[in-house]
Amino acid sequence: EGDVANELLRQFRIGSSVLCRSVMAAPWGFGVASRDAGSFHMVLAGRGWLEVDTSDELVPIGTGDLALLPTGSEHWVRDSPSTTAPALTTILAHHQVVDGELRFGADEGPLTEIVCGVFSLEEPRLAPWTRRLPALILSRAESDGSGWRWAAAQALRDEASVPTKGGAAIVNRLLESLLAD
């Protein structure tokens, strides 16, 4: 008998991804429109709240948490449930991404750092089961901040800041490993 999880994850191969590291001072918020690609947010420092258009629930996220939106659902991330969250496209129109880093929010509030990205599968037809995934998959961090996951998060952060030769392929494999965790 084969390991079903292994077989399914073997079909889940990320073919492209785009990264950006956001450093935001409270109050901050951003909204991401629905799309035909998955999204993810990994909190490197700080905390916030995530809301997905398919749910009325606000989900707390904190340092080390990985929020995966595999079906490309519209969603909002903010520092507080009461903070407004303008469209990310609007924020990008007014703030430059410099060395893979987007800075916005207030001038002196508490900082939150998140690596965000979008991804698509190499061969979506090989993994039709992914269309049945929930709008949000949340993977909580280890409580002590240790382990391979933190090293993977640091590698994503570094690659977003200073892309390397072959880095895109490495990012894809890191994302696959984080998603399998």
Side-chain angles (χ1 to χ4, degrees):
E1 292 182 27
D3 180 348
V4 174
N6 269 337
E7 289 304 314
L8 292 175
L9 289 172
R10 197 178 334 264
Q11 299 168 4
F12 192 85
R13 299 285 295 184
I14 293 176
S16 64
S17 58
V18 176
L19 294 177
C20 179
R21 185 170 60 97
S22 298
V23 179
M24 304 154 296
W28 59 266
F30 61 90
V32 179
S34 64
R35 56 179 62 152
D36 289 335
S39 297
F40 74 91
H41 305 285
M42 184 158 200
V43 183
L44 300 177
R47 61 179 171 249
W49 295 87
L50 175 68
E51 179 183 7
V52 181
D53 71 345
T54 58
S55 172
D56 293 331
E57 181 182 1
L58 284 171
V59 178
I61 53 175
T63 301
D65 290 346
L66 173 68
L68 171 68
L69 298 107
T71 59
S73 296
E74 182 175 21
H75 60 281
W76 302 266
V77 184
R78 51 178 68 100
D79 71 304
S80 161
S82 61
T83 300
T84 59
L88 183 57
T89 53
T90 301
I91 293 168
L92 289 169
H94 295 96
H95 297 83
Q96 284 189 330
V97 176
V98 178
D99 296 328
E101 179 180 284
L102 173 64
R103 286 190 169 265
F104 68 97
D107 292 329
E108 298 181 19
L111 292 178
T112 298
E113 181 179 1
I114 300 177
V115 172
C116 302
V118 296
F119 66 90
S120 60
L121 299 180
E122 281 181 358
E123 294 287 337
R125 63 182 172 75
L126 295 179
W129 57 268
T130 59
R131 289 190 291 273
R132 295 187 190 114
L133 290 172
L136 172 64
I137 299 170
L138 185 61
S139 178
R140 296 283 184 194
E142 299 94 354
S143 60
D144 65 356
S146 66
W148 69 270
R149 181 188 198 147
W150 291 97
Q154 186 62 43
L156 288 175
R157 179 181 193 257
D158 292 348
E159 187 63 29
S161 300
V162 183
T164 60
K165 290 182 181 179
I170 292 169
V171 165
N172 291 346
R173 301 301 80 85
L174 283 172
L175 289 176
E176 290 168 6
S177 67
L178 287 167
L179 301 177
D181 183 27

